[in-house]
Structures are given as structure tokens and as C-alpha cells.
Amino acid sequence: MMKKGFKLSLLAVLGLVFVMGMVLIGCTDETADPVDDEPVEDQDNSTEDEPKDEPADNPPVEEKVFRASFASEPPSLDPGQATDTTSSTVLRGVFEGLTRVTPNGTELAGAESYEISDDYLTYTFTLRDHNWTNGDAVTAHDYEYAWKRVLNPEFAADYAYQLYYIKNAEAANTGEGSLDDVGVKALDDKTLEVTLENPTAYIMDLFAFTTYKPVNKKVVEANANWSNDAGELYVSNGPYKLDVWEHGNEVQLVKNEGYWDADTVQLDRIIYAVVEDEGTVLALYEDGELDWAGSPFSSLPTDALPVLKDQGLLTTQIRTGTYMYLFNVEKEPFNNKKIRQALSYAIHRQTIIDNVSQGEQIPAMGLVPANMELVKEPYFPDNNVEQAKQLFNEALAELGYASAEDLPPIVLSHNTSEGHQKIAQAVQEQWRQAFGIEVTLENAEWGVYLDQLDAGDFQIGRYGWIGDFNDPINFLEIFKEIGGNNKTNWHNEEYASLLDKSYSEGDVAVRTQLLKDAEAIFMDEMPVAPFYYYTFNYVYNPQIKDIFLDSLGNTDLKWAYVE
């Protein structure tokens, strides 16, 4: 049995603790009344001859505030529905799962202790005493309810597959089994039993993931719209609680004084302003109105990166994620593999990185990020225009087109962002030069754009995937089945079979080869055009210490404090 406070390290967590940010001392609640410039009449009924009260010896305590920005507001603050990094950043602050990824590795959080069966399939957790923000006790029944809610086919959670490691979870989610048979059971209020399909080395990391967070069963069952706004209905159990959500404007969190580890939490308030324009983000930072500008909260103007670097202000580091373009394989001509290959091969990634994105990203000629080291060599050369032209012409013949002019109109979509727009414009020009095709660019606000991808209302769409945990399967399994986070409508039985075999393979070398074989199929089929592997690029003022930022892009302000 693991004792209380025992630190877990089933996988190396690439966590880095940074000396970061600036706190803007004295920030007050926006709802506070302003002080007028005009003097007001004294109301204490004293005369000029009577002594006035002396001012208090101790001035009011100033709030310790961290301020950053998002490019758009969180699409969902329901842990069961969230799939994006913006939503997850907020949810990491306001919710607590069984475990939490920390600067020292993955540690117990909502759970106080646990036992593992000899076959590594059954985990029995004892919950620590802690409460929801409405005063209710967090119970094992809340966890069972939350996980089965995600797996309920009617709930239609994109991230339901992240729970497929649990016994019978996939069958329940696909309608082939019952939720009653899913391997999560509250034995009593304090005891949660979890049974897995196969031994899973990184399961404790997954238990910290957003989709595995508990929700208050009583509140959620009584209020379908509980997560739509800040207020009494929004009940959580993390180090912070949701205080303000002005849709399209800002999100504010305040310290949760009832949190089980509240003594560790030093910030009083976190403010995330919604600022779409990257230039405005940098200007706000330079004016002292933001504590942080850039990744992972937002983006910096690409043109500013070389200047900030030359000034010694820019921090850049590798991030475990892949920037890519999705092909909707149900829409002609992208139902032809050679068209997809041709468009991907013709992109000159390094030129765009050097002259457009300018963030020292790494050209991606594979799906799985290079720092996961699944394969050593790229699947194709960058800017392989000659082969791209040959494949393009072969595809035209196979599709029955006499020339590129006969192709249907091609649209490249992206969410609204200066950086995404500039990259799309560069690709648009490269494809024009390589193939003589005219590509139309379209953009939409993030929430609207996600809805378009979900509905299949796109031909080529910008996409990005940041790892949820440090294993290549997290990138490969996105495309195992149609739906969820796989927006391409691509499916391959051999590919899915290799991934299925990898789940139960205990030999590390054999499992690695299965994943390599799967990625080789994927890169031959090319349902996406990998573009580059992400980097973090940001500026900060170092008056806030111990902001935790790991290579996956997870930012946790639980330990942050003001120097």
C-alpha cells in the first residue's frame, strides 16, 4: 500500500519549475466601487475641534494576482467535455483528480492512498477528506458517476476514448456493452475500485488528466447547465475556484480556501483576459497589464520573436506537440491518398519556420513528436517538390481530371490567429507554385472552428495536438477510430489492429515496434500533413516564482507565489 504523501514516478514527468512571471500587486476585484476624485462631506459628526480617528496602522492586504491571456474563451469548463488546452488550463486550476502532475512527478492528490493487485489490473483508492466548493464531501460515487457520464454514448464526449484503459469502457461507450459493467466502482464513500483492461504503466498520469476529474453528482444531475457560467452552480474541488466568467472577455479564478492543501496555494487571484490579437497581447505585457505573453496561454506576434530574442527577453523550449493540417478524406479530391501525399510533400516547412513562424519549431515529417523518439528518421524529405508533382499528376489521372484547373475549389481553414493566417498564406503560395492551384483561405473563431471540424465542414483544416501524457500512443490513438478527436474521417483496420495489440503487449521492444508499424501506415496514408513540432515561446517578468510548466504544455499555478 502506498502511504499518504508517497510520490509516484511510473513515467518520467518532464516537468520544469521556472522562475516566471510578474505579479501586479494591489489589483482589486473589478466589482469594487471606484473612488471619486471629488471630496465628500464628512459624515462622522465631529467638529473641527474634535480629534479625528488615526489611520489604521495596517493597510489592507493587497491581492497577489497573476494575469495572462487566452486567444479565445474556453469552449467548455465541464471536465467531461473539454478537449482543448485553454479549457484544460482553467480546469487544472479548479478541479482535483485522484492524482496530480507536480514538479516532482505524479503524486496522489484527491486520493490519500491506494493498493494495486498482483496482476496490476485493479487499483483500490482511498480518498482523502476533502470537499466541493459548496461544502459537499467529495466521494467515490462522484468519481464513478463522472467517468460513466463521459462513457455514456448519449453524452458524446470526444475524449471518451481516454477512459478505454478501464475494463469494459470501450464496449459501454460504443453501445456494445453496459455502463454497469465498466470497471469503476464506489465500494463506499471513501473507496474507489478501478479495474483496467490491461496493465498500463502510465495509468497514474492518466488519473490526473482532465477527463478523469470527478464532478459533483448531485449538482450535475440537478442542473444540466451547471458548467455554463460562474456562480453557485459551478462546483469544483481544486486549489482555485471559478469566480468570474465574462464570456468573450475574461475568466477569473480565486483561491479556494476550502481546498485540502490550501496552505500551499499562495496566489489570491488568477485573471485570464480574452485577447485575440497577438500584437495586443504583447503590448499589454509591455505596459505591465499582463504577467505573461505567449505560450502556453496565448501566442506572440511572429514578427516580434526575432526582436525579443535579440533583446534576450524570449524564452524558447521544446513542447511535446504537433502542428498539422487535417484532410477530410470524405471530400474529393482528398479521398485520394496521392493528393494528400503531394500536398504534404510540397510544403517547405523549414522556410516557413525560419521566415514566418520564427519560433525555432522543428519540421515535422512524422506524426509523433521527435522528443518521444519513436522513430529516428523522417518519413519523407522536407520540400520534396519533384516527388510531390509526380504524385499530384498521378492523382489527377486517377480522379479523372485532365489538369489542376479541373479540380473542385480547395479551401484551407484555420482558427482566427495572425500566426495561423501567415502560415496558411505561405502554404497557399507554395502550393500555387508547385501545382498551379488556387487555394482559398477561411478562418473562424476557435469555438466556431471546432464546431466546423466536428461537423466535417472543412476540406483542409489547421489542427494541433499537445500530448496528454508522455507516450506515443497518445498521438497515434487519436486516429484509431472515426469521431472524437479524429476529424479526418480516416480509418484503417490494420492501423487500429496494431494499436489494439500494443495495449496488451508487455514487452517494451515489441510494443515499440507495433507503434512504429502503425505510424508507418499512417504516414503512408497521410490523413494529415504534419507541419512542425511545437515550441514554447514566451516573455515574462520574474516576480512570480514556481510556475510549473511541463513539456506537454500543462501549466499549474498551484505552487506559484510572489517573491
Side-chain angles (χ1 to χ4, degrees):
M1 175 182 291
M2 298 283 184
K3 300 299 183 182
K4 181 177 180 180
F6 190 89
K7 297 175 181 178
L8 308 172
S9 184
L10 294 180
L11 285 181
V13 178
L14 302 178
L16 299 175
V17 181
F18 291 87
V19 177
M20 299 174 171
M22 177 182 70
V23 86
L24 299 180
I25 303 299
C27 294
T28 59
D29 189 341
E30 287 190 342
T31 60
D33 293 331
V35 178
D36 294 330
D37 292 333
E38 295 296 323
V40 297
E41 182 181 354
D42 189 85
Q43 299 292 322
D44 66 358
N45 298 321
S46 62
T47 68
E48 290 185 3
D49 295 329
E50 294 173 345
K52 304 290 186 181
D53 291 337
E54 291 297 321
D57 292 334
N58 299 316
V61 176
E62 296 171 325
E63 278 195 320
K64 302 175 183 68
V65 182
F66 174 78
R67 299 196 289 188
S69 69
F70 295 141
S72 61
E73 77 163 4
S76 175
L77 290 185
D78 180 341
Q81 292 283 14
T83 62
D84 65 297
T85 55
T86 299
S87 301
S88 296
T89 296
V90 177
L91 291 167
R92 196 174 300 113
V94 298
F95 278 90
E96 185 91 295
L98 294 170
T99 62
R100 194 173 194 91
V101 179
T102 82
N104 300 316
T106 301
E107 299 182 0
L108 293 175
E112 184 176 61
S113 62
Y114 74 105
E115 296 178 344
I116 309 177
S117 62
D118 291 341
D119 59 6
Y120 296 97
L121 292 177
T122 302
Y123 289 67
T124 305
F125 290 93
T126 298
L127 302 189
R128 68 174 71 251
D129 291 331
H130 64 300
N131 295 329
W132 295 104
T133 48
N134 68 351
D136 293 345
V138 179
T139 72
H141 302 283
D142 293 324
Y143 280 92
E144 179 180 356
Y145 171 76
W147 296 5
K148 289 183 175 179
R149 173 175 176 257
V150 169
L151 292 169
N152 189 330
E154 296 180 1
F155 190 62
D158 282 352
Y159 253 140
Y161 70 86
Q162 287 287 33
L163 276 71
Y164 286 3
Y165 300 92
I166 300 171
K167 189 171 182 62
N168 297 322
E170 182 173 8
N173 185 239
T174 57
E176 298 177 0
S178 170
L179 287 170
D180 293 337
D181 296 329
V182 173
V184 55
K185 183 177 181 180
L187 302 183
D188 55 43
D189 284 352
K190 296 289 295 294
T191 310
L192 184 72
E193 182 182 81
V194 183
T195 305
L196 306 181
E197 287 282 2
N198 301 288
T200 305
Y202 44 85
I203 194 63
M204 298 302 287
D205 295 335
L206 275 171
F207 288 148
F209 186 64
T210 302
T211 318
Y212 283 83
K213 306 291 190 194
V215 294
N216 186 307
K217 178 181 179 181
K218 181 177 69 175
V219 170
V220 175
E221 285 186 329
N223 305 279
N225 297 320
W226 70 277
S227 64
N228 289 1
D229 295 285
E232 292 184 1
L233 289 182
Y234 195 89
V235 175
S236 61
N237 68 328
Y240 300 95
K241 56 185 180 180
L242 183 64
D243 186 50
V244 175
W245 189 1
E246 293 183 12
H247 293 280
N249 186 36
E250 71 174 4
V251 175
Q252 292 193 28
L253 313 182
V254 294
K255 179 178 177 178
N256 177 11
E257 296 292 350
Y259 178 56
W260 70 270
D261 195 22
D263 289 346
T264 298
V265 181
Q266 300 301 309
L267 293 179
D268 297 309
R269 184 175 296 273
I270 301 168
I271 301 175
Y272 296 115
V274 177
V275 184
E276 183 177 289
D277 181 72
E278 288 99 333
T280 303
V281 171
L282 182 57
L284 288 170
Y285 169 78
E286 291 174 336
D287 288 344
E289 296 184 38
L290 290 179
D291 310 328
W292 185 296
S295 303
F297 303 106
S298 59
S299 299
L300 290 168
T302 55
D303 293 343
L305 296 181
V307 177
L308 293 170
K309 183 179 179 181
D310 290 344
Q311 293 173 340
L313 300 175
L314 185 69
T315 297
T316 299
Q317 64 190 82
I318 297 296
R319 188 178 190 182
T320 307
T322 305
Y323 189 105
M324 66 188 86
Y325 283 164
L326 306 178
F327 296 114
N328 187 340
V329 302
E330 287 190 344
K331 295 196 174 183
E332 193 169 324
F334 310 106
N335 57 338
N336 184 283
K337 178 176 75 173
K338 291 179 179 178
I339 281 285
R340 303 194 298 265
Q341 290 174 330
L343 293 176
S344 183
Y345 290 0
I347 298 172
H348 197 168
R349 294 159 175 81
Q350 191 64 61
T351 292
I352 294 175
I353 290 169
D354 292 341
N355 300 292
V356 181
S357 62
Q358 303 184 83
E360 299 185 26
Q361 296 90 351
I362 301 170
M365 281 76 77
L367 174 64
V368 177
N371 62 341
M372 283 188 166
E373 298 184 338
L374 182 62
V375 296
K376 302 294 185 183
E377 300 296 329
Y379 285 93
F380 56 89
D382 188 23
N383 190 223
N384 190 358
V385 176
E386 291 307 313
Q387 186 176 3
K389 289 180 177 179
Q390 178 181 337
L391 289 165
F392 186 82
N393 290 329
E394 291 174 3
L396 290 179
E398 291 175 6
L399 291 167
Y401 296 118
S403 69
E405 295 178 355
D406 297 327
L407 286 169
I410 295 175
V411 178
L412 169 56
S413 305
H414 61 86
N415 54 301
T416 304
S417 158
E418 177 194 6
H420 298 327
Q421 180 182 25
K422 288 182 176 180
I423 290 172
Q425 289 170 341
V427 172
Q428 179 188 45
E429 179 59 27
Q430 288 180 358
W431 285 346
R432 179 187 293 116
Q433 292 182 8
F435 309 118
I437 58 176
E438 297 297 329
V439 176
T440 301
L441 305 183
E442 291 184 354
N443 74 90
E445 183 273 327
W446 180 234
V448 174
Y449 182 68
L450 286 178
D451 289 341
Q452 291 173 347
L453 293 183
D454 286 340
D457 184 19
F458 75 99
Q459 292 181 324
I460 308 172
R462 188 213 73 85
Y463 203 57
W465 190 262
I466 306 300
D468 301 320
F469 52 93
N470 277 303
D471 193 281
I473 192 67
N474 184 230
F475 286 79
L476 296 168
E477 68 183 356
I478 303 168
F479 303 98
K480 181 173 176 283
E481 304 293 344
I482 295 174
N485 289 313
N486 179 9
K487 318 297 184 184
T488 66
N489 292 308
W490 175 83
H491 176 74
N492 181 283
E493 287 293 341
E494 184 180 0
Y495 177 83
S497 176
L498 288 167
L499 297 186
D500 283 337
K501 291 176 182 177
S502 77
Y503 293 131
S504 58
E505 180 53 62
D507 186 296
V508 173
V510 174
R511 179 178 183 270
T512 298
Q513 189 59 53
L514 290 169
L515 298 181
K516 287 181 178 180
D517 292 345
E519 188 180 26
I521 291 172
F522 185 86
M523 292 308 302
D524 178 63
E525 288 284 312
M526 202 73 73
V528 311
F531 205 103
Y532 60 63
Y533 302 126
Y534 280 100
T535 54
F536 293 109
N537 291 282
Y538 54 86
V539 291
Y540 62 91
N541 189 310
Q543 289 186 2
I544 288 186
K545 308 292 186 180
D546 287 3
I547 292 179
F548 175 55
L549 174 62
D550 69 16
S551 71
L552 298 175
N554 298 321
T555 307
D556 202 327
L557 299 174
K558 173 179 174 176
W559 302 276
Y561 68 94
V562 181
E563 186 176 46

